[in-house]
């Protein structure tokens, strides 16, 4: 179908208006205006301005009439087809309503029939439910009886096997009982469980006792336990092969009995938890529950346990609170003496049996259980005796060290250190540690040689020149560190670190008090020794800040948010600690550096007082009347400068002897800086100089003063910049001095408008002469101090 023409589109719009005659007056006017505009546009397009084309009007009128007729037919067709569609929809709705009513009627009928059927079947359902309940009860009884019968059958099988010496079959039957016990763990049949467990325990004990008896006999033939170091071969000469076979058989059978033994042990421990404990508050058990010991090792430990309890419990002389090293050393000896037997005899059997355990580690675990009980008992009794408590801690730490190093005891298994982490014991340890450290500090500071270095006669080892009290104090801190380093608990380690920082601050305060007493004579040996002590402690703490151990503690403190260590620190400081930019000793280092700076300043101040007093005759010398250099046969040091030079030399030598190397560097550089200022102010700026006087001053400085510092650096004149540059200005020849003076005056008189004309700045001229420190105005002052000007 052809696309509608423009006229058809217009007629379509008008037809829509006829079918939808709901318009407001404004809409009518808008439509009329739109139609008029369209008509004018249409006539201009079809007719145009050519009057000859009016003959086309007839044809155009016919075409419009045909299009109008087509449109009218379409409108009639549409209007006539609407009522049949509406009636069809209404008919369909009525049919759906009827169908729905029929379905609802059928649903009511079926529901009534179903309800009647359920009422009739209810008696049958009740009877059936009772029957099923009875069947369920009978079935549970049957299962109960079958389980009971199975237990009795297993018990009979074990008895039969034991009568026929079929130990392996008996062990398998006991394992079956253990598996059945594990399966009935969630059952509510408590009497059946009790019967099964009693039966299991009964037969397990019989088998275990029989195997243990045979095992002990074989161990006796192999000379177990090995109390003293073995002096003969572990393999017996007579029937050795038979004994080894029996040993392997018994160890293997005991390993097979391990499952039921562990189950019985767990039942016993679970039942004992409900009973009030008579043990002290500090339990000997480690924080994490360890696996039960291997059954053969348990039997091997029995004679050692008897010996241990015989000697170190009760009223025996060997059971002494003051001698914990007796039982600790004894256990270590047993471990060492038994290692060869365990590795050569027991470990190969365990490997062939597929047991992934170490015989030596298991033996050490068992012996450690004895020691843990003993240490826990003794520690609680020694909380009120500082000396004995410290001795116990020292022995426990030494035992732990030897256990880990000499016997290769795994680090993942607990030793004895966890016993020291109990709240009461740890707090006592910290208190005693602090008390004894304070006592030692008092003793070391009051000792006769407290302020002398023990390495003073050995130059290679005396760079820090640390006095004996400072070195002893840092050794004390290092010993404390070694004691708590092995603790398996970072929070406990941080408590000791906080104690160390407190001790350092206490020692700093004591040094400050002694320093104030010696401040009346800062040039004395004791004052310098105090300064060396402060520098030594600061140096060691700086090294500790980069130590891996203390960095790990730093990270632990940040992650745990330890209040004692991070107390008083802001968010920025904690962030620096977390990023390892700072250290836990920063606060102490700042206080020590401040004390060091104050002491160094006071030392140099007193030194300069003495030098300034000696320099007064030199500053009052007749510089203006000294003859020119060419009139003198040889240049010599000014007589008035000799006392000052001797004083400087003596002080430098004294500083070099009594101060550490780093402090001496600070001392002579600080002295040079102050001396440069004094000479410049009191000697140079306070006098006028003739040509001879300037030459004499330069000779005194460059040939006498500067070489005194030349022993400690390559270019000492760089530390006397004011004096060196002043000598350069004063010793300029007359022509150069006049040109320089004129240049500086012109530069001084220039206005801002003349700035940047292109003349070089005066500083460039001064730099050519080697003057970099003095300003142009200072150079003018120096030039005015010259007396040798033409015409004067």
């Amino acid at each position: 179908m052809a696309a509608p023409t423009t006229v058809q589109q217009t007629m379509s719009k008008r037809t829509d208006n006829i079918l939808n005659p709901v318009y407001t007056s404004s809409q009518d006017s808008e439509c009329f205006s739109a139609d008029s505009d369209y008509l004018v546009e249409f006539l201009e397009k079809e007719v145009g301005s050519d009057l000859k084309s009016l003959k086309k009007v007839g044809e155009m009128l016919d075409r419009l009439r045909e299009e109008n007729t087509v449109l009218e037919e379409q409108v009639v067709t549409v209007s006539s087809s609407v009522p049949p569609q509406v009636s069809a929809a209404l008919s369909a709705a009525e049919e759906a309503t009827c169908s729905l009513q029929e379905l609802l009627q059928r649903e009511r009928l079926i529901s009534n029939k179903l309800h009647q059927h359920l009422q009739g079947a209810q008696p049958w359902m009740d009877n059936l439910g009772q029957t099923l309940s009875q069947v369920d009860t009978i079935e549970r009884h049957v299962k109960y009886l079958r389980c009971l019968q199975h237990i009795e059958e297993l018990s009979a099988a074990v008895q039969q096997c034991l009568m026929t010496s079929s130990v392996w079959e008996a062990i398998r039957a006991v394992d079956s009982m253990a598996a059945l016990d594990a399966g009935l763990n969630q059952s509510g049949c408590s009497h059946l469980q009790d019967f099964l467990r009693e039966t299991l325990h009964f037969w397990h004990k019989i088998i275990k006792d029989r195997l243990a008896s045979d095992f002990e006999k074989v161990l006796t033939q192999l000379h177990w336990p090995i109390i003293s170091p073995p002096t003969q071969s572990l393999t017996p000469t007579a029937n050795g092969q038979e004994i080894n076979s029996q040993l392997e058989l018994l160890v293997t059978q005991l390993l097979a009995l391990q499952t039921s033994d562990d189950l019985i042990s767990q039942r016993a421990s679970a039942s004992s938890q409900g009973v009030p404990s008579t043990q002290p508050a500090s339990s000997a058990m480690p924080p994490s529950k360890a696996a039960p010991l291997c059954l053969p090792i348990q039997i091997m430990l029995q004679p050692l346990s008897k010996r241990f309890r015989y000697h170190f419990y009760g009223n025996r002389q060997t059971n002494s609170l003051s001698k914990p090293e007796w039982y600790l050393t004894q256990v270590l000896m047993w471990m060492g003496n038994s290692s060869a037997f365990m590795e050569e005899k027991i470990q190969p059997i365990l490997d062939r049996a597929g047991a992934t355990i170490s015989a030596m580690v298991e033996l050490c675990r068992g012996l450690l259980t004895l020691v843990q009980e003993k240490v826990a008992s003794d520690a609680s009794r020694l909380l009120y005796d500082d000396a004995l408590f410290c001795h116990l801690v020292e022995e426990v730490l030494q035992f732990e060290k030897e256990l880990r190093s000499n016997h290769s005891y795994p680090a993942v298994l607990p030793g004895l250190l966890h016993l020291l982490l109990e709240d009461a014991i740890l707090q006592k340890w910290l208190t005693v540690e602090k008390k004894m450290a304070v006592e030692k500090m008092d003793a070391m500071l009051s000792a006769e040689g407290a302020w002398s270095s023990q390495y003073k006669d050995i130059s290679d080892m005396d760079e820090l020149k640390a006095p004996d009290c400072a070195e002893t104090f840092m050794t004390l801190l290092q010993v404390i560190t070694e004691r708590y380093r092995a603790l398996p608990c970072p929070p406990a380690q941080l408590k000791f670190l906080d104690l160390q920082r407190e001790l350092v601050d206490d020692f700093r305060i004591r040094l400050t008090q002694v320093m104030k007493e010696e401040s009346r004579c800062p040039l004395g040996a004791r004052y310098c020794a105090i300064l060396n002590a402060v520098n030594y402690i600061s140096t060691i703490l700086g090294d500790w800040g980069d130590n891996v151990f203390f960095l790990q503690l730093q990270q632990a403190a940040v992650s745990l948010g330890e209040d004692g260590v991070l107390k008083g620190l802001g968010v920025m400081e904690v962030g620096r600690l977390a990023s390892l930019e700072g250290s836990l000793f920063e606060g102490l280092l700042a206080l020590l550096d401040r004390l060091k700076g104050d002491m160094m300043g006071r030392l140099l101040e007193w030194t300069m007082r003495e030098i300034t007093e000696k320099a007064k005759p030199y500053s009052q010398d007749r510089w203006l009347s000294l003859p020119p250099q060419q009139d003198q046969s040889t240049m010599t040091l000014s007589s008035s400068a000799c006392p000052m030079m001797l004083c400087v030399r003596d002080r430098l030598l004294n500083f070099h002897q009594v101060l550490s190397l780093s402090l001496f560097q600070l001392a002579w550089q600080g002295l040079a800086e102050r001396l440069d200022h004094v000479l410049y102010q009191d000697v140079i700026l306070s006098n006028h100089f003739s040509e001879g006087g300037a030459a004499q001053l330069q000779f005194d400085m460059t040939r006498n003063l500067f070489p005194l510092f030349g022993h400690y650096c390559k270019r000492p004149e760089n530390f006397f910049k004011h004096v060196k540059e002043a000598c350069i200005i004063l010793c300029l020849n007359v022509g150069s001095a006049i040109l320089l003076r004129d240049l500086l005056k012109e530069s001084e008189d220039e206005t801002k408008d003349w700035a940047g004309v292109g003349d070089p700045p005066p500083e460039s001229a001064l730099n050519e002469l080697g003057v970099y420190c003095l300003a142009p105005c200072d150079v003018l002052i120096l030039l005015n101090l010259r007396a040798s000007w033409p015409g004067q």
Side-chain angles (χ1 to χ4, degrees):
M1 184 177 178
T5 63
T6 308
V7 177
Q8 289 176 334
Q9 295 176 356
T10 304
M11 295 305 294
S12 176
K13 293 180 180 178
R14 291 181 179 179
T15 304
D16 293 338
N17 294 338
I18 294 171
L19 294 175
N20 301 288
V22 184
Y23 290 96
T24 62
S25 59
S26 60
Q27 289 174 336
D28 291 340
S29 60
E30 290 177 0
C31 289
F32 179 77
S33 175
D35 291 343
S36 300
D37 294 340
Y38 178 75
L39 183 58
V40 172
E41 182 181 355
F42 176 73
L43 291 175
E44 288 180 356
K45 181 179 180 183
E46 294 293 337
V47 179
S49 59
D50 188 6
L51 295 178
K52 293 181 180 181
S53 62
L54 290 175
K55 61 183 180 179
K56 300 179 181 179
V57 173
E59 297 176 0
M60 182 178 60
L61 185 58
D62 294 337
R63 189 172 72 252
L64 291 175
R65 285 173 180 171
E66 292 175 359
E67 293 178 358
N68 191 28
T69 303
V70 173
L71 291 173
E72 288 177 354
E73 292 176 355
Q74 291 178 356
V75 171
V76 171
T77 302
V78 171
S79 61
S80 62
S81 62
V82 171
Q85 293 177 356
V86 174
S87 61
L90 291 175
S91 300
E94 292 176 356
E95 293 176 358
T97 303
C98 294
S99 299
L100 179 60
Q101 294 296 332
E102 292 177 359
L103 289 174
L104 290 174
Q105 184 65 23
R106 291 177 61 189
E107 186 270 336
R108 284 192 291 270
L109 292 174
I110 295 173
S111 178
N112 292 332
K113 290 181 180 180
L114 179 61
H115 184 66
Q116 294 175 2
H117 178 73
L118 290 176
Q119 288 180 346
Q122 186 63 39
W124 295 94
M125 293 174 61
D126 295 339
N127 293 333
L128 182 61
Q130 293 177 1
T131 303
L132 291 176
S133 177
Q134 294 174 0
V135 171
D136 183 60
T137 302
I138 295 172
E139 184 178 6
R140 286 189 290 109
H141 289 171
V142 170
K143 289 182 179 179
Y144 188 94
L145 293 174
R146 286 178 179 174
C147 185
L148 188 59
Q149 181 182 4
H150 183 53
I151 296 173
E152 293 177 347
E153 290 176 353
L154 290 175
S155 177
V158 173
Q159 182 179 9
Q160 184 66 27
C161 292
L162 291 178
M163 292 176 63
T164 59
S165 300
S166 301
V167 180
W168 279 114
E169 286 74 8
I171 292 175
R172 294 189 186 96
V174 170
D175 283 342
S176 299
M177 287 187 189
L180 182 59
D181 186 15
L184 294 176
N185 190 29
Q186 302 299 327
S187 174
C189 303
S190 59
H191 296 290
L192 181 63
Q193 289 179 337
D194 293 340
F195 174 72
L196 173 59
R197 290 167 186 172
E198 290 176 2
T199 305
L200 174 62
H201 186 270
F202 175 79
W203 291 118
H204 175 272
K205 184 177 185 303
I206 291 177
I207 297 174
K208 181 180 177 181
D209 291 345
R210 178 180 294 188
L211 294 178
S213 177
D214 296 341
F215 189 46
E216 289 172 355
K217 292 179 182 178
V218 173
L219 290 176
T220 302
Q221 295 179 11
L222 293 173
H223 310 292
W224 179 266
I226 304 176
I227 305 302
S228 57
T231 57
Q232 58 184 355
S233 175
L234 294 175
T235 304
T237 54
N239 62 358
Q241 187 66 32
E242 181 182 354
I243 294 177
N244 288 334
S245 300
Q246 294 178 3
L247 177 67
E248 182 166 2
L249 176 62
L250 291 170
V251 170
T252 308
Q253 290 175 342
L254 287 170
L255 287 176
L257 201 62
Q258 185 75 41
T259 303
S260 57
D261 189 77
D262 293 345
L263 182 61
I264 294 174
S265 300
Q266 291 174 4
R267 299 294 183 192
S269 62
S271 61
S272 63
Q273 288 179 357
V275 180
S277 176
T278 59
Q279 295 296 327
S282 60
S283 173
M285 291 303 295
S288 59
K289 187 177 181 181
L293 282 175
C294 175
L295 189 55
I297 305 299
Q298 292 181 27
I299 299 172
M300 295 179 68
L301 281 169
Q302 290 177 359
L304 295 176
S305 177
K306 290 179 181 179
R307 288 175 177 271
F308 187 87
R309 297 185 183 279
Y310 176 81
H311 289 291
F312 304 115
Y313 282 87
N315 297 324
R316 297 287 175 183
Q317 293 183 352
T318 49
N319 181 26
S320 173
L321 290 175
S322 61
K323 299 293 183 181
E325 63 272 20
W326 285 352
Y327 62 83
L328 293 174
T329 304
Q330 182 64 71
V331 169
L332 289 175
M333 290 177 59
W334 286 346
M335 291 180 182
N337 297 338
S338 305
S339 60
F341 182 88
M342 301 302 292
E343 294 298 332
E344 296 178 12
K345 295 293 184 180
I346 306 300
Q347 188 61 50
I349 300 175
L350 297 178
D351 294 340
R352 286 192 291 270
T356 58
I357 55 177
S358 170
M360 190 60 204
V361 171
E362 289 292 288
L363 181 69
C364 292
R365 284 179 58 204
L367 292 174
L368 274 176
T369 303
L370 301 174
V371 179
Q372 288 168 355
E373 294 176 357
K374 180 63 176 174
V375 170
S377 174
D378 288 356
S380 61
R381 298 166 60 188
L382 296 177
L383 290 177
Y384 301 100
D385 192 320
D386 294 347
L388 294 183
F389 180 83
C390 288
H391 182 57
L392 176 64
V393 171
E394 290 286 353
E395 292 299 328
V396 167
L397 293 173
Q398 184 63 29
F399 176 87
E400 185 79 16
K401 183 178 179 181
E402 293 187 18
L403 177 68
R404 305 292 180 180
S405 59
N406 297 342
H407 301 283
S408 302
Y409 193 67
V412 296
L413 296 177
L416 297 181
L417 294 183
H418 66 276
L419 300 174
L420 303 178
L421 299 180
E422 295 290 337
D423 292 339
I425 297 177
L426 180 61
Q427 189 58 43
K428 178 65 177 180
W429 185 6
L430 289 167
T431 303
V432 174
E433 198 79 68
K434 180 179 179 180
K435 176 184 175 182
M436 293 195 168
V438 172
E439 292 176 355
K440 290 180 180 179
M441 280 195 290
D442 293 336
M444 67 181 69
L445 288 174
S446 59
E448 182 178 356
W451 303 107
S452 61
S453 174
Q454 56 180 327
Y455 305 113
K456 59 184 178 181
D457 298 329
I458 308 175
S459 58
D460 294 340
M461 300 180 61
D462 203 31
E463 287 188 359
L464 292 175
K465 291 184 171 60
D468 189 61
C469 62
E471 192 165 0
T472 304
F473 174 71
M474 294 310 296
T475 303
L476 172 66
L477 293 185
Q478 184 62 38
V479 170
I480 295 176
T481 302
E482 294 301 323
R483 276 199 285 266
Y484 75 81
R485 180 191 293 269
L487 291 179
C489 179
Q493 292 177 326
L494 290 173
K495 290 181 180 179
F496 282 95
L497 177 62
D498 194 39
L499 172 62
Q500 286 179 306
R501 300 200 309 173
E502 183 181 348
L503 292 175
V504 172
D505 194 50
D506 189 3
F507 194 75
R508 177 190 64 83
I509 294 174
R510 293 168 184 262
L511 290 179
T512 304
Q513 293 172 347
V514 179
M515 180 271 294
K516 289 180 179 179
E517 296 176 0
E518 298 295 328
S519 60
R520 290 171 293 182
C521 183
L523 300 179
R526 176 170 291 192
Y527 186 90
C528 294
I530 298 171
L531 183 56
N532 285 331
V534 174
N535 180 68
Y536 176 74
I537 296 173
S538 179
T539 302
I540 298 300
L541 290 182
D543 294 339
W544 283 7
D546 297 329
N547 186 276
V548 175
F549 173 69
F550 289 105
L551 289 176
Q552 292 173 345
L553 284 185
Q554 180 174 323
Q555 289 293 91
V558 174
S559 60
L560 296 174
E562 190 68 27
D563 295 335
V565 178
L566 304 179
K567 183 179 180 180
L569 296 182
V571 178
M572 296 295 293
E573 289 81 358
V574 175
R576 293 183 69 252
L577 290 179
S579 60
L580 300 181
E581 294 180 7
S583 75
L584 294 173
F585 303 102
E586 274 191 345
L588 293 172
L589 289 174
L591 293 174
L592 291 170
D593 289 343
R594 183 188 303 173
L595 177 60
K596 181 171 65 175
D598 293 342
M599 293 186 68
M600 181 62 72
R602 185 177 287 107
L603 178 64
L604 294 178
E605 180 183 352
W606 277 73
T607 303
M608 286 307 302
R609 286 183 186 178
E610 185 179 6
I611 294 176
T612 303
E613 186 66 28
K614 301 289 184 181
K616 284 183 178 179
Y618 188 65
S619 62
Q620 298 170 359
D621 210 344
R622 302 178 63 185
W623 300 101
L624 191 59
S625 60
L626 290 178
Q629 182 178 358
Q630 56 270 20
D631 294 345
Q632 302 181 33
S633 57
T634 56
M635 294 288 291
T636 58
L637 175 66
S638 299
S639 58
S640 58
C642 290
M644 179 188 69
M645 297 294 180
L646 289 174
C647 183
V648 172
R649 184 201 64 179
D650 293 342
R651 285 304 162 203
L652 287 175
L653 290 175
N654 182 56
F655 288 165
H656 191 261
Q657 291 174 356
V658 299
L659 293 178
S660 66
L661 183 60
S662 59
L663 287 177
F664 177 68
Q665 292 288 337
L666 296 175
W668 75 257
Q669 291 177 11
L671 180 62
E673 179 182 356
R674 287 169 169 77
L675 188 56
D676 178 52
H677 177 75
V678 168
L679 292 175
Y680 182 72
Q681 293 290 335
D682 297 350
V683 176
I684 297 176
L685 294 183
S686 300
N687 292 280
H688 286 76
F689 295 86
S690 64
E691 181 181 349
Q696 183 64 48
L697 175 67
Q698 186 178 35
F699 180 82
D700 292 342
M701 297 295 104
T702 58
R703 301 294 296 276
N704 293 277
L705 178 63
F706 295 170
L708 292 179
F709 294 85
H711 297 287
Y712 317 114
C713 63
K714 293 182 179 180
R715 300 183 64 85
E717 62 274 11
N718 291 337
F719 295 91
F720 294 87
K721 293 181 180 180
H722 291 84
V723 172
K724 182 188 73 171
E725 295 180 3
C727 290
I728 292 174
I729 299 300
L730 293 176
C731 293
L732 283 176
N733 58 53
V734 177
S736 299
I738 293 174
L739 291 176
L740 180 60
R741 184 180 63 177
D742 293 342
L743 175 63
L744 295 178
K745 285 184 176 180
E746 291 176 0
S747 175
E748 190 178 24
D749 295 337
E750 283 180 349
T751 61
K752 293 183 179 180
D753 295 337
W754 293 358
V757 172
D759 295 335
E763 286 80 3
S764 61
L766 294 176
N767 292 343
E768 291 179 359
L769 296 174
V771 177
Y772 299 92
C773 178
L774 297 176
C777 58
D778 297 329
V779 175
L780 270 178
I781 295 174
L782 291 173
L783 289 174
N784 291 329
L785 297 178
R786 292 170 57 102
S788 56
W789 294 104
Q792 293 183 353

